[in-house]
């Protein structure tokens, strides 16, 4: 029999209602980003958490719409290949120009080429799970952070190939 656990991954929270079937619901009281992690258990194992991000639209107290971090993603290759962090699909309801602030929250340190850009890149030198948080700014308000993660696998060492030339 599987069991589920929902836990908050964002600073913005509300009361979570979890019925017996494992689904969850909540009623947001403020605009912003709400993030929940779902973990599933059986008698012997526990899953890695899977994150659900819900963006609740609405104006800030001054009437300005908060930046919406929709479509934020991370793309990676292997060790020594750049990880690309991408928030270019983000939107602002007022049409304001957005900037981003990327902050690494897990994994071996990776310097980013543009930590304040909507798109940033860095090159991992070790295998592991890398996670970054990004917040968006429309010039009047900085929106809440959302996180993206990427797994960088170890590249297996291949045997060298000898080539003595033509026979």
């Amino acid at each position: 029999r599987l069991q589920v656990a929902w836990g908050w991954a964002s600073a913005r929270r509300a009361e979570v209602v979890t019925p017996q079937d494992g689904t969850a619901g909540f009623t947001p009281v403020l605009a912003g980003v709400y993030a929940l992690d779902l973990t599933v258990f059986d008698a012997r194992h526990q899953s890695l958490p899977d994150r659900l991000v819900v963006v609740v639209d609405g104006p800030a107290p001054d009437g300005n719409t908060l930046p919406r971090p929709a479509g934020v993603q991370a793309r990676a290759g292997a060790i020594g290949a750049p990880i690309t962090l991408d928030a270019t699909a983000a939107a602002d309801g007022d049409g304001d120009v957005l900037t981003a602030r990327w902050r690494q929250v897990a994994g071996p340190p990776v310097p980013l080429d543009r930590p304040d850009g909507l798109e940033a890149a860095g090159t991992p030198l070790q295998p592991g799970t890398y996670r970054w948080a990004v917040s968006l700014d429309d010039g009047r308000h900085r929106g809440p952070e959302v996180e993206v993660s990427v797994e960088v696998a170890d590249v297996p060492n291949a045997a060298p190939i000898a080539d003595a030339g033509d026979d």
Side-chain angles (χ1 to χ4, degrees):
R1 178 167 181 243
L2 294 178
Q3 296 180 336
V4 300
W6 290 92
W8 286 106
S10 62
R12 186 149 314 219
R13 298 172 183 216
E15 182 179 347
V16 176
V17 178
T18 308
Q20 294 298 325
D21 66 359
T23 61
F26 68 96
T27 303
V29 294
L30 295 171
V33 177
Y34 295 80
L36 287 153
D37 282 341
L38 169 65
T39 306
V40 180
F41 307 85
D42 65 14
R44 300 170 72 193
H45 302 284
Q46 172 180 329
S47 72
L48 293 173
D50 188 31
R51 180 151 301 161
L52 170 69
V53 176
V54 177
V55 178
V56 178
D57 286 328
D62 66 359
N64 183 49
T65 303
L66 295 173
R68 182 184 175 123
V72 176
Q73 57 184 321
R75 294 183 301 274
I79 294 172
I83 291 174
T84 302
L85 305 173
D86 187 353
T88 58
D92 182 77
D94 306 307
D96 298 326
V97 174
L98 297 177
T99 59
R101 180 180 300 153
W102 295 96
R103 178 177 65 85
Q104 188 172 354
V105 295
V110 174
L112 297 177
D113 62 348
R114 293 178 311 236
D116 292 330
L118 289 176
E119 194 170 53
T123 302
L125 300 177
Q126 299 175 45
T129 301
Y130 293 80
R131 195 167 70 234
W132 282 268
V134 63
S135 60
L136 302 171
D137 192 313
D138 67 3
R140 292 175 29 187
H141 295 286
R142 180 164 294 282
E145 288 186 331
V146 294
E147 291 185 3
V148 293
S149 62
V150 65
E151 189 72 30
V152 174
D154 198 1
V155 178
N157 189 12
I161 298 173
D163 184 358
D166 294 333
D167 288 338

